[in-house]
Amino acid sequence: MMYDVAIVGGGPAGLMAARTAAALGLKTILFEKRKSVRNITRACCEQLIMDENFQGDTVRLHDGNIVSLKNEFTVPYSGPTVPIVDKYFISPSGKRIHFAYPDKRPIVIKIDKGLLLQTLWEQCCAAGVAMRPGVHIGAAKDTGDVIILTTAKGETFRSAKLVIAEGVNARCAHRLGINQDRQCLTTALCVIYFVKGIEGFRHSELSTYFGRAYRGLAPITITASLDDPLVACCVVIGNSTNSPERLFRNITTQGVLAPRFRNASVVRKTGCAARAYTPLRRPYRKNTLVIGDAAAYVEVEMQGAMSCGYRAAQAVACELNDNSGFDNYTQWWQQSFEFNGADFMQVAKGFALVPTYTDEELDYLFGLIEHKTLEGTYNQYKSPRLMWDAIMHQRTQIESERPSLWSKMTTGTISLKDML
């Protein structure tokens, strides 16, 4: 059977692409390796970010719907929510840099991602999409005239266009040679520990801890979960040499945070291995379009993924008509996602405070601005810029009091690979 579009991946990008393609009248098939999208077992983004014009969209929760203000779609959502109104960057001695909106509106809203995906899945079924859960794509070929997909069990499917929405470790993109010019900056191992009973934990806060005293490899983040008001998500990032499990033991028994974990217990955990690639600035080749995390630097978050899927379906419809759709999508992609800019590594350098700075230097720098409240934002590109801009306003004091530190700040560089 011949389809207008085949979509590989049943995350928010793939499901939104399928739903939109069907609504546009395209004969659509979607392949998803999991048998069910309802249960989230992999460490991933499970939140809506309230920044405006971030990752391709501005989203809001309104009257039981996730509403896109830029792309103008809605997705029903009536599940649980947890608003996060305060964000902190914290130094080894506890100096806190505060991010918040003056009116205390949420920076982030935690939601049930599994419920969202199940809702989109059901909408795709109702719209007539051929849904193939539990199917692995074993081979992919783009002949220039047709896409040929072969499943691991030997079934063959044909389509005019292909949308790859498999996520950060997209295998189809590799098989088609689309990733051959991308640089893999590092491979990170991430585990989210759901921990009950962390002393001093506040359900409305997101806190990230910087410094060697915490015994982590990368910054450690603690924030709310949907499980229970007393259960926090503790995000630990490691690598093949320093496993998240080993780091978590050190963090909770030896680090500065250890006393807060004395009566805590791990309820459950999720994990993933993620390769941090340079982004695909031109995310298509021939009849294949790569979207969402599969084309990104690490991730596009949930609203970014849905926006990519929505735009991708429109691009396919346009492509089938006059061959301009993928170019139009590329222009939107390059303009909407900050990591496609020339300074996309700002996020890595902005958070790579260790090993560049000693714990004592971090305490000094954070202490310069701990009395300020910076603009409420989750944006991982904007946050370090706001932090460093505020610190740099103290230039005269730093130059006078700590000339060697000032020299390090103005001449040193570090990469994400160096940090991990």
Side-chain angles (χ1 to χ4, degrees), residues 189-198 213-222 232-239 242-270:
L189 305 178
C190 176
V191 174
I192 300 177
Y193 295 89
F194 292 76
V195 185
K196 188 171 185 176
I198 299 177
Y214 294 111
R215 297 295 191 269
L217 185 63
I220 302 157
T221 295
I222 297 177
C233 292
C234 180
V235 183
V236 179
I237 298 174
N239 58 25
N242 294 282
S243 71
E245 196 71 16
R246 175 185 173 188
L247 292 167
F248 183 72
R249 285 197 302 270
N250 292 341
I251 290 163
T252 57
T253 62
Q254 302 173 21
V256 173
L257 288 173
R260 294 179 56 189
F261 283 83
R262 74 187 82 191
N263 298 313
S265 59
V266 176
V267 176
R268 63 185 179 94
K269 55 188 176 182
T270 57

Side-chain angles (χ1 to χ4, degrees), residues 8 35-36 83 86 92 104 108 116 121-122 132 137 168 202 225 229 249 251 372 375 402 415:
V8 179
K35 292 183 179 180
S36 171
D86 293 295
K104 286 294 185 179
V108 164
L116 172 65
W121 186 279
E122 292 169 359
R132 299 298 302 268
I137 298 299
V168 69
R202 295 178 181 174
S225 75
R249 285 197 302 270
I251 290 163
K372 297 179 181 293
E375 178 184 346
R402 306 292 292 271
S415 72

Side-chain angles (χ1 to χ4, degrees), residues 305-358:
M306 289 189 289
S307 298
C308 287
Y310 181 76
R311 293 274 184 163
Q314 294 179 325
V316 168
C318 187
E319 194 75 13
L320 291 170
N321 183 47
D322 63 11
N323 297 319
S324 67
F326 288 176
D327 283 330
N328 292 339
Y329 178 92
T330 297
Q331 183 178 9
W332 169 80
W333 166 254
Q334 291 177 351
Q335 293 174 348
S336 299
F337 292 84
E338 194 164 356
F339 50 67
N340 285 316
D343 62 345
F344 82 99
M345 282 301 293
Q346 179 71 34
V347 62
K349 293 179 180 178
F351 280 99
L353 298 173
V354 177
T356 304
Y357 302 99
T358 67

Side-chain angles (χ1 to χ4, degrees), residues 106-163:
I107 294 172
V108 164
I109 299 177
K110 305 280 287 190
I111 69 168
D112 184 338
K113 183 178 180 179
L115 176 60
L116 172 65
L117 296 182
Q118 184 63 38
T119 298
L120 285 169
W121 186 279
E122 292 169 359
Q123 289 187 324
C124 287
C125 292
V129 177
M131 306 295 282
R132 299 298 302 268
V135 175
H136 292 256
I137 298 299
K141 184 177 181 181
D142 188 341
T143 69
D145 296 319
V146 66
I147 297 290
I148 303 173
L149 298 176
T150 305
T151 71
K153 293 183 177 180
E155 296 178 282
T156 299
F157 297 85
R158 295 171 179 265
S159 64
K161 302 294 177 184
L162 171 64
V163 173

